[in-house]
Every structure is written in C-alpha cells, then in structure tokens.
Amino acid sequence: MANSFSFFYKTFCWMLLIGISHAKEANHLIIGVEKLSYFPHYSHEYGKLVGYTREVFDTFAKVHNYTIEYRLLSVSQLYTELLQTQSIDFKYPDNPQWNTKGKENIKVHYSDSVSQYIDGLIVMPATKSKDLPFLKKLGTIKNFTPWGYTELIESGQIQLHESETMIELLSQVMFGKIDGAYVNIAVARYHLNYTIHSPNALVFNNKLPYIKSSYYLSTVKHPKTIKTFNQFLAAEAQLIDKLRKKYNVSVEF
C-alpha cells in the first residue's frame, strides 16, 4: 500500500509540474518584431524594443497576465520563423496583403488594427505637387514593397534604390541622389523633426500613389490569443487612442 501510495503521489506531483509548466508556456508569448529604426511605431535601443508598439503589447500583457519575449528580426527572418519554423508565436507588424505568396498554403490569423499608417512619397518641397513623370529614381527601405509603383519599376520606367536605414534613405532625397522616398509618413516626419532636425526639408507628395492601411498582429499557432487581444483593443479603445496621440503615429493631411 505504501509503495502504491508513493507511486501515485509521485505521479500526481509529476503531472502537476507538467501542468504548471504548460500553463507558464501558454502565458509566455514570443512576438517577433521588425528590427528597424521605425520610431514612433517601433525601434530598438540597446537590443530592446521601444515605441508605441512596445507600450501597447506591454499593457496587453499586464491586463491579461502574459509575459512577452520580443525578438527583433529582419523582415525575411520574421516570415521564416512565423511560417516555416514557427519558432515565434506572433509577427508584428503584418498585413494580409504582405508576402501573399509565402502565405498561400498556411492559415494566418490577424488581429484588429493595432495602428493605421500611410505609406507614400517623401520629396523635396519643390516637387510636392509634381505628377508622376518627374519620378525617375525611387528609394525604399530594403525588402519593402513600394505599392503603386511596382509596375513602373518592373517596366524600367522608374529605378528602385534600396537603403538599409531611414536616415540613409531620407538623406538620399535631400542630396538629390533620388527623386523621392517611399516611406511610412509618420516615421519620416519623426526623423526629420528629431534626428535630422530639419522638419521642413522634405514633404509628403499626396498627389502621387500612396496607401493607407493598418498594421496587424499575426499568428499561425494562437488564434485564441488573437481573439483575446482584439477584446483588449476594444475594451481599452480610449487608452489605445491616447497612446496613438502620445507617440504621434497617426498622419493627417
């Protein structure tokens, strides 16, 4: 009897430990974020994520008792770890229109909008109202798609120049090496104001093609957590709006 009791007791303790371990794993979220200087949306300082994105996710974790591990990865690495190795739980930012070929045979779940954005052309003030024919050399961040210009690039009518950083890209426009930079407008304005300290050096040309869309949190493995996150976004709508204003991530024109 004593041996039987000891066996069942050890088995119970072992199962309890496994249950606790699984519970901890379920509450631990690994979010992959683009390793870019994309403030005020997101950036990294000394290897740590900072910006609007970090504050939204940290608040979500606090409200719902999650712990979050942020992994800063390149765009291509993020898709590999989300879709192929599935070594991250979530990707941010993501959008159903991005990397559609890579997602063809995989069910990807998306949150509601975490932040709206405008991607468009930043140019010298003298070309603010010029039409498309003036644009011969277009710059983007490496691995980004300049929506609205891809056919012109493929046909050779526009030359595409890729930069590693936003500062490099904006500088290319300022020094006349390219005619315009296809960028996130809020990010470009932040760097013009606080990094380059020349807020009026470049402007948004809204006469040319631009896209207004949203950044979403995506997952392959955890649709239930996405549902919980959506409930958080709805319940904390006023707080999220305050954070958007705090970080100035919204763009109006």
Side-chain angles (χ1 to χ4, degrees):
M1 288 290 291
N3 287 338
S4 296
F5 175 79
S6 177
F7 171 77
F8 284 117
Y9 178 75
K10 289 179 180 179
T11 302
F12 171 76
C13 290
W14 179 71
M15 292 177 68
L16 182 63
L17 288 171
I18 290 177
I20 292 172
S21 175
H22 286 175
K24 287 182 178 179
E25 289 178 6
N27 286 331
H28 182 72
L29 311 179
I30 301 174
I31 302 179
V33 181
E34 291 175 353
K35 190 177 182 180
L36 290 174
S37 180
Y38 227 58
F39 203 88
H41 286 282
Y42 52 90
S43 188
H44 52 94
E45 293 179 358
Y46 307 105
K48 293 184 178 181
L49 182 69
V50 295
Y52 166 81
T53 296
R54 175 68 184 257
E55 196 155 350
V56 170
F57 291 148
D58 279 359
T59 304
F60 169 63
K62 184 177 180 180
V63 170
H64 289 277
N65 197 31
Y66 289 110
T67 60
I68 296 181
E69 175 186 342
Y70 296 103
R71 292 187 184 172
L72 300 171
L73 302 166
S74 69
V75 174
S76 58
Q77 284 177 313
L78 279 171
Y79 279 118
T80 297
E81 297 203 15
L82 177 75
L83 303 173
Q84 297 176 25
T85 65
Q86 296 187 11
S87 50
I88 57 175
D89 298 315
F90 303 89
K91 176 187 183 295
Y92 188 84
D94 207 345
N95 187 295
Q97 301 303 314
W98 300 352
N99 192 31
T100 52
K101 289 184 179 179
K103 299 172 181 174
E104 282 179 347
N105 300 314
I106 300 174
K107 177 64 175 177
V108 180
H109 306 270
Y110 297 92
S111 72
D112 293 337
S113 173
V114 179
S115 179
Q116 289 189 328
Y117 70 91
I118 293 177
D119 283 354
L121 211 67
I122 288 286
V123 298
M124 295 290 286
T127 58
K128 179 180 179 180
S129 299
K130 283 197 173 184
D131 295 325
L132 201 54
F134 98 93
L135 186 63
K136 303 300 180 185
K137 297 179 180 179
L138 173 65
T140 64
I141 295 290
K142 189 175 181 180
N143 292 322
F144 276 45
T145 301
W147 301 106
Y149 301 89
T150 52
E151 290 184 4
L152 294 170
I153 292 168
E154 289 170 359
S155 68
Q157 293 175 259
I158 293 178
Q159 295 178 16
L160 180 65
H161 298 258
E162 294 185 321
S163 296
E164 294 288 342
T165 68
M166 183 65 67
I167 300 303
E168 177 188 340
L169 182 58
L170 296 177
S171 297
Q172 295 278 316
V173 184
M174 292 172 68
F175 289 111
K177 294 185 177 181
I178 58 177
D179 301 313
Y182 186 86
V183 293
N184 178 290
I185 303 303
V187 175
R189 287 180 176 174
Y190 171 82
H191 282 293
L192 288 168
N193 282 323
Y194 301 108
T195 307
I196 298 174
H197 301 291
S198 300
N200 300 315
L202 301 174
V203 294
F204 175 37
N205 183 332
N206 61 12
K207 306 291 184 184
L208 298 183
Y210 66 89
I211 185 168
K212 186 172 184 178
S213 188
S214 287
Y215 293 141
Y216 306 95
L217 182 67
S218 68
T219 187
V220 173
K221 300 187 292 184
H222 302 289
K224 288 184 179 179
T225 307
I226 289 289
K227 184 177 180 179
T228 302
F229 182 61
N230 287 343
Q231 292 169 346
F232 160 78
L233 291 176
E236 301 294 341
Q238 288 187 337
L239 172 62
I240 299 299
D241 188 55
K242 286 181 180 179
L243 291 177
R244 287 172 181 160
K245 291 176 180 177
K246 172 183 175 181
Y247 286 95
N248 198 24
V249 296
S250 300
V251 174
E252 301 295 337
F253 59 90

